Amino acid sequence: MSQATLLVISAAGFGRRVSWTADSSDEPPAGHRLTFRSAVMNSVENVIFYVLTPTWFNRLLSFVKVPYLSARAHITQQGFEELKSHMLDLVSSARAEVAEGKISGASDAALLRNLVEANMTQEGDYKRLTDGELLSNIFTFLLAGHETSAHSLSFAFVLLALYPEVQQKIYNEAAGVWSGNTPTADLNSTYKEDFSKLEYTMAFFRETLRLYPSEPRLAKDVHYDTVLPAVNFSAGSKGSPTVEGSSFSVAVPAGSVLIMDIWALHMNPLYWGEDAEDFKPERFIDSDSYRWPRNAFMPFSNGARSCIGQRFALTESVCILANVVRRYEILVPDELVAKSAREQRDALLKWTTGITITPTNARVKFRRRV
Ligand code: HEM
């Protein structure tokens, strides 16, 4: 999934269109010590180490050998240097194309073009990006646009294997949208024509994000004194949650750091009902008498600094899921087939904390549909 989402953001955002097999090559291109993919992966894996260790400390570690730390510092430094050099390659070819007027508005590399154009803007213009800002923006897009999506898709594939009846509905939807095509036929499909028809697949992916939000808690600086409304409630094992007593207020002074617990919101029975812990994509499908609670769903945060890649991520993920399910059956790995549903879930949905929540044992089996 990491490779798939890296190829998508590289192609769609940066016009770097390479094939799956070419990108799997371990041979770095001329002038580089790492392939683009290894450089991105290495940087993503070591970004916390990079941020937490000052440059002078890293330099020191190359002279004074400290077990583990010196090797880690070396790998981290190499990854970031190589990523920078790959990004500079991208920028210099985009600069040449912008100067020659070759990158058009409809180009693959719209994101890169906008960033490079801002970099080439006259000094003093408010839109101008310095070279450093240009590179850190590219890095942010590569990082934000690839790890979150890859991890969410990994959870999604495990859930497809665990819930075959849900998978069947996605298959039926995909087969209906692309009817007349065998599962292996190439599609001539456009976003405009087909995307809105993948309603159940979208509901399935939203339900995946509700249960496994990449960023389960977000911290926000409070800039103004404010008051937040709150309510007491209790949730029993049966029946709807009951609100107890009157609502109350919480004063939040400027200067506080506020932690938004996205996961708690996603599990709150006041909004999602007594079955909030169950996996149920249907809850994301509106009907005449039901509208799913938009404000209780925040995997992309909310407001001015929410995820700007949210629509990109939903589109990319729904397309990948519908296309893969159309071609392959997703199954629980052989060694877990005899286990109970509970044991399968516990084994395959394990995760740990990284920059985003990171699945640690997301393994499934693919069987090609005929
Ligand atoms: C399932 C996939 C994704 C999830 C769950 C996700 C989630 C988030 C969240 C929660 C934030 C807010 C972080 C905060 O407040 O500290 C955020 C910000 C951001 N995301 Fe995403 N994201 C996803 C995919 C993407 C993609 C594909 C891109 C780029 C194409 C992207 C680009 C960004 C950027 C640039 C920001 C910073 C926005 C700002 O600070 O104004 N994200 N994302």
Side-chain angles (χ1 to χ4, degrees):
M1 286 304 115
S2 282
Q3 185 172 347
T5 55
L6 183 59
L7 288 178
V8 173
I9 183 69
S10 304
F14 302 104
R16 191 184 169 280
R17 205 170 268 277
V18 280
S19 73
W20 180 276
T21 39
D23 214 54
S24 302
S25 162
D26 289 336
E27 200 54 49
H32 291 279
R33 287 175 294 161
L34 292 178
T35 60
F36 176 69
R37 183 168 166 242
S38 310
V40 177
M41 298 291 191
N42 179 324
S43 307
V44 167
E45 274 161 26
N46 292 302
V47 70
I48 293 179
F49 184 84
Y50 185 72
V51 171
L52 293 181
T53 50
T55 318
W56 63 262
F57 183 65
N58 279 318
R59 286 214 189 98
L60 189 69
L61 285 175
S62 61
F63 295 109
V64 184
K65 297 288 174 216
V66 181
Y68 175 76
L69 279 184
S70 294
R72 179 89 191 257
H74 173 73
I75 292 171
T76 307
Q77 202 174 343
Q78 189 186 47
F80 276 89
E81 276 169 11
E82 275 296 303
L83 182 60
K84 186 171 173 188
S85 130
H86 279 285
M87 293 194 305
L88 286 171
D89 284 356
L90 280 175
V91 169
S92 70
S93 54
R95 267 197 193 122
E97 293 188 16
V98 167
E100 290 165 27
K102 269 201 206 149
I103 305 190
S104 69
S107 134
D108 276 352
L111 179 58
L112 181 63
R113 175 177 48 83
N114 284 332
L115 293 172
V116 166
E117 276 177 358
N119 177 245
M120 291 165 86
T121 307
Q122 297 256 311
E123 213 149 319
D125 187 316
Y126 78 98
K127 279 196 238 159
R128 183 172 156 74
L129 288 183
T130 63
D131 289 355
E133 286 165 345
L134 172 67
L135 287 183
S136 54
N137 269 281
I138 296 176
F139 178 70
T140 303
F141 276 107
L142 280 174
L143 180 74
H146 133 259
E147 205 200 50
T148 42
S149 306
H151 290 170
S152 309
L153 278 166
S154 301
F155 284 116
F157 273 99
V158 169
L159 290 164
L160 286 173
L162 292 171
Y163 296 88
E165 66 291 352
V166 168
Q167 185 179 160
Q168 185 61 39
K169 288 186 190 165
I170 294 183
Y171 176 76
N172 294 346
E173 182 167 85
V177 171
W178 297 302
S179 60
N181 281 300
T182 59
T184 46
D186 276 336
L187 298 175
N188 190 10
S189 176
T190 61
Y191 173 84
K192 216 170 162 188
E193 263 177 39
D194 294 330
F195 190 69
S196 60
K197 298 179 198 155
L198 295 165
E199 187 190 20
Y200 187 82
T201 315
M202 174 68 98
F204 163 77
F205 189 61
R206 285 196 167 121
E207 180 69 343
T208 305
L209 291 173
R210 184 181 72 86
L211 292 181
Y212 298 95
S214 302
E215 301 188 38
R217 289 196 185 106
L218 290 173
K220 297 284 160 188
D221 290 334
V222 177
H223 290 268
Y224 305 99
D225 290 344
T226 189
V227 175
L228 296 178
V231 63
N232 268 321
F233 71 94
S234 68
S237 56
K238 287 204 178 76
S240 317
T242 42
V243 175
E244 292 166 348
S246 54
S247 43
F248 62 101
S249 305
V250 182
V252 186
S256 323
V257 174
L258 204 141
I259 310 288
M260 303 196 295
D261 195 330
I262 311 286
W263 223 331
L265 178 69
H266 286 183
M267 289 294 164
N268 192 327
L270 271 187
Y271 308 111
W272 298 103
E274 278 294 302
D275 61 358
E277 288 186 14
D278 297 347
F279 180 71
K280 220 174 118 190
E282 284 73 13
R283 68 173 90 244
F284 280 99
I285 297 187
D286 288 338
S287 70
D288 290 344
S289 55
Y290 169 79
R291 232 175 99 75
W292 62 268
R294 270 68 175 168
N295 288 338
F297 181 62
M298 281 184 39
F300 298 104
S301 186
N302 234 340
R305 298 308 295 265
S306 64
C307 177
I308 58 174
Q310 130 165 222
R311 191 171 284 234
F312 185 102
L314 291 173
T315 309
E316 152 185 55
S317 305
V318 165
C319 288
I320 290 177
L321 288 164
N323 267 296
V324 174
V325 169
R326 185 176 148 267
R327 288 159 195 242
Y328 296 90
E329 234 178 300
I330 319 296
L331 305 159
V332 167
D334 290 343
E335 72 275 16
L336 291 176
V337 168
K339 304 269 184 198
S340 69
R342 178 65 195 255
E343 285 170 316
Q344 292 177 349
R345 274 205 302 274
D346 288 349
L348 297 174
L349 290 168
K350 280 199 189 107
W351 55 268
T352 184
T353 40
I355 301 174
T356 59
I357 65 166
T358 308
T360 51
N361 193 30
R363 292 173 301 119
V364 292
K365 178 171 152 181
F366 288 79
R367 185 190 293 146
R368 191 186 281 272
R369 297 181 195 265
V370 280

PDB file of all heavy atoms in Angstrom, residues 328-344:
ATOM      1  N   TYR A 328      -9.766  -9.110  -7.643  1.00  0.00           N
ATOM      2  CA  TYR A 328      -9.291 -10.131  -6.691  1.00  0.00           C
ATOM      3  C   TYR A 328     -10.276 -10.316  -5.549  1.00  0.00           C
ATOM      4  O   TYR A 328     -10.927  -9.358  -5.128  1.00  0.00           O
ATOM      5  CB  TYR A 328      -7.948  -9.705  -6.058  1.00  0.00           C
ATOM      6  CG  TYR A 328      -6.825  -9.593  -7.041  1.00  0.00           C
ATOM      7  CD1 TYR A 328      -6.567  -8.391  -7.692  1.00  0.00           C
ATOM      8  CD2 TYR A 328      -6.018 -10.695  -7.331  1.00  0.00           C
ATOM      9  CE1 TYR A 328      -5.538  -8.278  -8.609  1.00  0.00           C
ATOM     10  CE2 TYR A 328      -4.981 -10.597  -8.253  1.00  0.00           C
ATOM     11  CZ  TYR A 328      -4.750  -9.384  -8.889  1.00  0.00           C
ATOM     12  OH  TYR A 328      -3.738  -9.286  -9.799  1.00  0.00           O
ATOM     13  N   GLU A 329     -10.313 -11.557  -5.061  1.00  0.00           N
ATOM     14  CA  GLU A 329     -11.012 -11.811  -3.808  1.00  0.00           C
ATOM     15  C   GLU A 329      -9.995 -11.606  -2.698  1.00  0.00           C
ATOM     16  O   GLU A 329      -8.852 -12.078  -2.815  1.00  0.00           O
ATOM     17  CB  GLU A 329     -11.430 -13.273  -3.796  1.00  0.00           C
ATOM     18  CG  GLU A 329     -12.889 -13.511  -3.551  1.00  0.00           C
ATOM     19  CD  GLU A 329     -13.152 -14.998  -3.622  1.00  0.00           C
ATOM     20  OE1 GLU A 329     -12.883 -15.596  -4.682  1.00  0.00           O
ATOM     21  OE2 GLU A 329     -13.579 -15.541  -2.613  1.00  0.00           O
ATOM     22  N   ILE A 330     -10.378 -10.927  -1.646  1.00  0.00           N
ATOM     23  CA  ILE A 330      -9.440 -10.674  -0.546  1.00  0.00           C
ATOM     24  C   ILE A 330      -9.810 -11.640   0.585  1.00  0.00           C
ATOM     25  O   ILE A 330     -10.961 -11.635   1.047  1.00  0.00           O
ATOM     26  CB  ILE A 330      -9.549  -9.217  -0.020  1.00  0.00           C
ATOM     27  CG1 ILE A 330      -9.713  -8.209  -1.174  1.00  0.00           C
ATOM     28  CG2 ILE A 330      -8.391  -8.859   0.889  1.00  0.00           C
ATOM     29  CD1 ILE A 330      -8.578  -8.109  -2.106  1.00  0.00           C
ATOM     30  N   LEU A 331      -8.841 -12.430   1.016  1.00  0.00           N
ATOM     31  CA  LEU A 331      -9.128 -13.496   1.981  1.00  0.00           C
ATOM     32  C   LEU A 331      -8.210 -13.406   3.200  1.00  0.00           C
ATOM     33  O   LEU A 331      -7.099 -12.868   3.118  1.00  0.00           O
ATOM     34  CB  LEU A 331      -8.920 -14.861   1.311  1.00  0.00           C
ATOM     35  CG  LEU A 331      -9.722 -15.092   0.025  1.00  0.00           C
ATOM     36  CD1 LEU A 331      -9.103 -16.188  -0.803  1.00  0.00           C
ATOM     37  CD2 LEU A 331     -11.156 -15.418   0.365  1.00  0.00           C
ATOM     38  N   VAL A 332      -8.678 -14.005   4.288  1.00  0.00           N
ATOM     39  CA  VAL A 332      -7.851 -14.124   5.501  1.00  0.00           C
ATOM     40  C   VAL A 332      -6.696 -15.077   5.169  1.00  0.00           C
ATOM     41  O   VAL A 332      -6.897 -16.062   4.469  1.00  0.00           O
ATOM     42  CB  VAL A 332      -8.742 -14.687   6.641  1.00  0.00           C
ATOM     43  CG1 VAL A 332      -7.917 -15.139   7.818  1.00  0.00           C
ATOM     44  CG2 VAL A 332      -9.775 -13.656   7.052  1.00  0.00           C
ATOM     45  N   PRO A 333      -5.465 -14.811   5.638  1.00  0.00           N
ATOM     46  CA  PRO A 333      -4.348 -15.721   5.313  1.00  0.00           C
ATOM     47  C   PRO A 333      -4.607 -17.148   5.808  1.00  0.00           C
ATOM     48  O   PRO A 333      -5.276 -17.333   6.833  1.00  0.00           O
ATOM     49  CB  PRO A 333      -3.145 -15.115   6.039  1.00  0.00           C
ATOM     50  CG  PRO A 333      -3.593 -13.845   6.633  1.00  0.00           C
ATOM     51  CD  PRO A 333      -5.054 -13.699   6.480  1.00  0.00           C
ATOM     52  N   ASP A 334      -4.082 -18.123   5.058  1.00  0.00           N
ATOM     53  CA  ASP A 334      -4.374 -19.545   5.330  1.00  0.00           C
ATOM     54  C   ASP A 334      -4.221 -19.932   6.801  1.00  0.00           C
ATOM     55  O   ASP A 334      -5.065 -20.629   7.353  1.00  0.00           O
ATOM     56  CB  ASP A 334      -3.444 -20.443   4.494  1.00  0.00           C
ATOM     57  CG  ASP A 334      -3.816 -20.364   3.021  1.00  0.00           C
ATOM     58  OD1 ASP A 334      -4.952 -19.905   2.735  1.00  0.00           O
ATOM     59  OD2 ASP A 334      -2.979 -20.733   2.173  1.00  0.00           O
ATOM     60  N   GLU A 335      -3.141 -19.467   7.422  1.00  0.00           N
ATOM     61  CA  GLU A 335      -2.862 -19.963   8.778  1.00  0.00           C
ATOM     62  C   GLU A 335      -3.872 -19.459   9.814  1.00  0.00           C
ATOM     63  O   GLU A 335      -3.895 -19.936  10.948  1.00  0.00           O
ATOM     64  CB  GLU A 335      -1.421 -19.631   9.208  1.00  0.00           C
ATOM     65  CG  GLU A 335      -1.142 -18.175   9.519  1.00  0.00           C
ATOM     66  CD  GLU A 335      -0.806 -17.337   8.289  1.00  0.00           C
ATOM     67  OE1 GLU A 335      -1.073 -17.804   7.150  1.00  0.00           O
ATOM     68  OE2 GLU A 335      -0.304 -16.221   8.461  1.00  0.00           O
ATOM     69  N   LEU A 336      -4.723 -18.482   9.415  1.00  0.00           N
ATOM     70  CA  LEU A 336      -5.709 -17.971  10.385  1.00  0.00           C
ATOM     71  C   LEU A 336      -7.137 -18.435  10.074  1.00  0.00           C
ATOM     72  O   LEU A 336      -8.064 -18.133  10.827  1.00  0.00           O
ATOM     73  CB  LEU A 336      -5.670 -16.437  10.404  1.00  0.00           C
ATOM     74  CG  LEU A 336      -4.403 -15.797  10.983  1.00  0.00           C
ATOM     75  CD1 LEU A 336      -4.475 -14.285  10.851  1.00  0.00           C
ATOM     76  CD2 LEU A 336      -4.234 -16.165  12.458  1.00  0.00           C
ATOM     77  N   VAL A 337      -7.288 -19.182   8.965  1.00  0.00           N
ATOM     78  CA  VAL A 337      -8.641 -19.530   8.531  1.00  0.00           C
ATOM     79  C   VAL A 337      -9.411 -20.302   9.607  1.00  0.00           C
ATOM     80  O   VAL A 337     -10.598 -20.055   9.829  1.00  0.00           O
ATOM     81  CB  VAL A 337      -8.581 -20.324   7.195  1.00  0.00           C
ATOM     82  CG1 VAL A 337      -9.922 -20.941   6.866  1.00  0.00           C
ATOM     83  CG2 VAL A 337      -8.138 -19.404   6.074  1.00  0.00           C
ATOM     84  N   ALA A 338      -8.724 -21.208  10.310  1.00  0.00           N
ATOM     85  CA  ALA A 338      -9.420 -22.047  11.294  1.00  0.00           C
ATOM     86  C   ALA A 338      -9.711 -21.307  12.608  1.00  0.00           C
ATOM     87  O   ALA A 338     -10.432 -21.812  13.467  1.00  0.00           O
ATOM     88  CB  ALA A 338      -8.575 -23.288  11.576  1.00  0.00           C
ATOM     89  N   LYS A 339      -9.162 -20.127  12.765  1.00  0.00           N
ATOM     90  CA  LYS A 339      -9.355 -19.381  14.027  1.00  0.00           C
ATOM     91  C   LYS A 339     -10.743 -18.723  14.064  1.00  0.00           C
ATOM     92  O   LYS A 339     -11.384 -18.540  13.025  1.00  0.00           O
ATOM     93  CB  LYS A 339      -8.297 -18.266  14.150  1.00  0.00           C
ATOM     94  CG  LYS A 339      -6.871 -18.764  14.059  1.00  0.00           C
ATOM     95  CD  LYS A 339      -6.347 -19.094  15.419  1.00  0.00           C
ATOM     96  CE  LYS A 339      -4.897 -19.492  15.322  1.00  0.00           C
ATOM     97  NZ  LYS A 339      -4.401 -20.206  16.464  1.00  0.00           N
ATOM     98  N   SER A 340     -11.154 -18.314  15.262  1.00  0.00           N
ATOM     99  CA  SER A 340     -12.457 -17.648  15.380  1.00  0.00           C
ATOM    100  C   SER A 340     -12.362 -16.238  14.778  1.00  0.00           C
ATOM    101  O   SER A 340     -11.256 -15.694  14.619  1.00  0.00           O
ATOM    102  CB  SER A 340     -12.846 -17.530  16.859  1.00  0.00           C
ATOM    103  OG  SER A 340     -11.983 -16.597  17.484  1.00  0.00           O
ATOM    104  N   ALA A 341     -13.544 -15.662  14.494  1.00  0.00           N
ATOM    105  CA  ALA A 341     -13.568 -14.310  13.907  1.00  0.00           C
ATOM    106  C   ALA A 341     -12.842 -13.330  14.839  1.00  0.00           C
ATOM    107  O   ALA A 341     -12.104 -12.445  14.394  1.00  0.00           O
ATOM    108  CB  ALA A 341     -15.005 -13.875  13.683  1.00  0.00           C
ATOM    109  N   ARG A 342     -13.038 -13.510  16.136  1.00  0.00           N
ATOM    110  CA  ARG A 342     -12.426 -12.625  17.127  1.00  0.00           C
ATOM    111  C   ARG A 342     -10.891 -12.726  17.061  1.00  0.00           C
ATOM    112  O   ARG A 342     -10.174 -11.716  17.054  1.00  0.00           O
ATOM    113  CB  ARG A 342     -12.950 -13.028  18.512  1.00  0.00           C
ATOM    114  CG  ARG A 342     -12.398 -12.253  19.682  1.00  0.00           C
ATOM    115  CD  ARG A 342     -12.850 -10.821  19.572  1.00  0.00           C
ATOM    116  NE  ARG A 342     -12.100  -9.953  20.428  1.00  0.00           N
ATOM    117  CZ  ARG A 342     -12.573  -9.451  21.554  1.00  0.00           C
ATOM    118  NH1 ARG A 342     -13.791  -9.734  21.933  1.00  0.00           N
ATOM    119  NH2 ARG A 342     -11.828  -8.640  22.262  1.00  0.00           N
ATOM    120  N   GLU A 343     -10.400 -13.983  16.985  1.00  0.00           N
ATOM    121  CA  GLU A 343      -8.942 -14.182  16.935  1.00  0.00           C
ATOM    122  C   GLU A 343      -8.362 -13.608  15.638  1.00  0.00           C
ATOM    123  O   GLU A 343      -7.279 -13.023  15.637  1.00  0.00           O
ATOM    124  CB  GLU A 343      -8.610 -15.678  17.039  1.00  0.00           C
ATOM    125  CG  GLU A 343      -8.778 -16.218  18.447  1.00  0.00           C
ATOM    126  CD  GLU A 343      -8.677 -17.737  18.502  1.00  0.00           C
ATOM    127  OE1 GLU A 343      -9.263 -18.426  17.635  1.00  0.00           O
ATOM    128  OE2 GLU A 343      -8.036 -18.242  19.434  1.00  0.00           O
ATOM    129  N   GLN A 344      -9.105 -13.772  14.549  1.00  0.00           N
ATOM    130  CA  GLN A 344      -8.626 -13.218  13.268  1.00  0.00           C
ATOM    131  C   GLN A 344      -8.521 -11.696  13.353  1.00  0.00           C
ATOM    132  O   GLN A 344      -7.530 -11.094  12.952  1.00  0.00           O
ATOM    133  CB  GLN A 344      -9.582 -13.602  12.130  1.00  0.00           C
ATOM    134  CG  GLN A 344      -9.588 -15.071  11.803  1.00  0.00           C
ATOM    135  CD  GLN A 344     -10.613 -15.424  10.723  1.00  0.00           C
ATOM    136  OE1 GLN A 344     -11.458 -14.610  10.359  1.00  0.00           O
ATOM    137  NE2 GLN A 344     -10.525 -16.636  10.229  1.00  0.00           N
TER     138      GLN A 344
END
